[in-house]
Amino acid sequence: MKSILIIGFGKWARKILYFVQKNNLFKDIYIKTRSQNYIVINNHLKKINNLPKYQNIDLVHVCSPVSTHYKYLKIFSGHKNLIIEKPFLKNYNQFLLIKKKISNKKCIAVNYIDLYNPLINFLKKKIKSKCSKIIIEYSDTSSFFKKKYLCTEDWLEHPLSIILFLFKKFTKFKIINQISLVKKKKYLEKIEIVYAFKKIQIIIKINIKSKKTRKVYFYDKKKLNFFADFRSNKVISNKKITIDNSNSNSLLNLYNSIIFKKKNYFQSMVFYKKILKERISVMEQLQK
């Protein structure tokens, strides 16, 4: 692939730009913001009047807010290679309308980034062993959002994608803890959600810890067996045994799945539909 178009230029879009430049994945890099178009030349952004026709761009990565996803999916629904950040869409009606426009032959990847980490397959094997409780913990208490509940909406699809990947379904959930923090008219939610499977209890914890966290803990009854740290790409057991995948790169795995046409089963509208519907159900319960 020779060219990429990055939609948006916020914090995550800049990380994507740095990533594709560092790995020399594309010869031509284009960026579209709300009002400007750019081409990257010698690590600098140069304004251009018009972007190439999108059919001539090899890959499009949508990094703009979820409120814009439906608009860009309508524009690029016919594109051969499309990555879109989570949350996928705002509501289920948008999903139904977009689904009609997208061919099964098109490759659309929603970036559930932890599913591209090699640790995820290790976790899938481990749920078949002795395990009574799993805690999925995501935290970044430094990031406040302009509107209430946007924080939970932004984070929630990460743990939901892990649950669906590991168990292929959702059970009934219960919100056991929710707190909204306000700082300079911006919001941050702390939330705990419990899913009860037949033999395993799963607890989602968002923003409970003060430090940045992306971890999954596996317990046998009350005893911690091991935990997977998606930030360091390591698994650490209670026997002090460490599995180190720090050389792996989830973003590179995501891009390689597109570049080399290695489609995963979770890159499907069926998977995205289940995540979207579950997120909507949780958000509705949260806001009652």
Side-chain angles (χ1 to χ4, degrees), residues 25-245:
L25 294 180
F26 303 93
K27 179 182 176 182
D28 297 320
I29 302 173
Y30 300 97
I31 295 171
K32 177 177 176 56
T33 66
R34 289 181 181 179
S35 58
Q36 300 290 343
N37 303 315
Y38 299 90
I39 185 171
V40 179
I41 299 177
N42 296 325
N43 295 326
H44 290 87
L45 272 62
K46 180 181 177 182
K47 286 185 181 180
I48 54 176
N49 291 327
N50 297 297
L51 294 166
K53 291 182 178 179
Y54 81 84
Q55 295 91 339
N56 297 327
I57 295 174
D58 292 302
L59 191 150
V60 177
H61 193 153
V62 179
C63 301
S64 53
V66 64
S67 58
T68 67
H69 285 189
Y70 178 66
K71 175 182 73 174
Y72 286 122
L73 274 168
K74 284 197 299 182
I75 295 171
F76 298 113
S77 61
H79 198 275
K80 52 194 173 185
N81 298 303
L82 177 64
I83 299 173
I84 189 161
E85 289 301 315
K86 57 81 202 156
F88 181 36
L89 288 163
K90 196 73 176 174
N91 57 60
Y92 189 58
N93 285 336
Q94 289 181 348
F95 175 85
L96 293 176
L97 292 170
I98 287 299
K99 189 174 182 295
K100 293 178 182 179
K101 293 178 171 289
I102 296 174
S103 165
N104 291 330
K105 295 181 181 180
K106 304 298 180 183
C107 185
I108 295 181
V110 179
N111 188 13
Y112 302 125
I113 192 64
D114 294 326
L115 300 189
Y116 293 92
N117 191 307
L119 296 182
I120 197 70
N121 291 315
F122 174 84
L123 300 186
K124 192 168 187 178
K125 292 178 182 178
K126 283 296 181 180
I127 63 170
K128 296 178 181 179
S129 62
K130 287 185 178 180
C131 178
S132 60
K133 182 171 69 174
I134 297 173
I135 296 177
I136 305 173
E137 193 166 61
Y138 285 77
S139 187
D140 182 1
T141 54
S142 65
S143 298
F144 281 68
F145 290 72
K146 291 181 179 180
K147 293 184 180 180
K148 194 173 182 180
Y149 304 118
L150 278 185
C151 174
T152 302
E153 182 181 62
D154 188 65
W155 277 99
L156 188 57
E157 288 194 2
H158 278 311
L160 291 181
S161 69
I162 292 175
I163 292 174
L164 188 57
F165 179 87
L166 295 179
F167 296 94
K168 297 186 178 180
K169 66 178 181 179
F170 295 106
T171 60
K172 290 184 178 180
F173 67 87
K174 183 178 180 181
I175 298 174
I176 60 172
N177 184 23
Q178 64 180 88
I179 300 171
S180 289
L181 303 178
V182 184
K183 182 178 180 181
K184 296 181 180 179
K185 296 184 180 181
K186 291 186 178 181
Y187 299 86
L188 176 81
E189 282 86 50
K190 295 187 175 186
I191 183 171
E192 293 184 63
I193 306 166
V194 175
Y195 285 86
F197 284 81
K198 188 175 181 180
K199 295 182 179 180
I200 301 176
Q201 182 188 60
I202 302 176
I203 303 174
I204 295 174
K205 294 184 177 183
I206 297 176
N207 291 325
I208 301 302
K209 287 190 175 178
S210 58
K211 293 182 179 181
K212 285 187 177 182
T213 305
R214 300 174 76 97
K215 293 180 180 178
V216 181
Y217 300 86
F218 277 61
Y219 290 82
D220 179 15
K221 296 180 181 179
K222 293 183 179 181
K223 183 180 179 182
L224 176 64
N225 282 346
F226 68 91
F227 67 88
D229 187 339
F230 286 112
R231 296 192 74 219
S232 65
N233 290 353
K234 293 181 180 180
V235 172
I236 301 174
S237 76
N238 56 7
K239 297 178 181 179
K240 306 299 181 183
I241 299 172
T242 301
I243 300 172
D244 190 343
N245 286 294

Side-chain angles (χ1 to χ4, degrees), residues 246-259:
S246 55
N247 291 327
S248 67
N249 188 308
S250 300
L251 266 177
L252 190 58
N253 290 340
L254 165 63
Y255 270 72
N256 282 340
S257 74
I258 305 295
I259 293 169

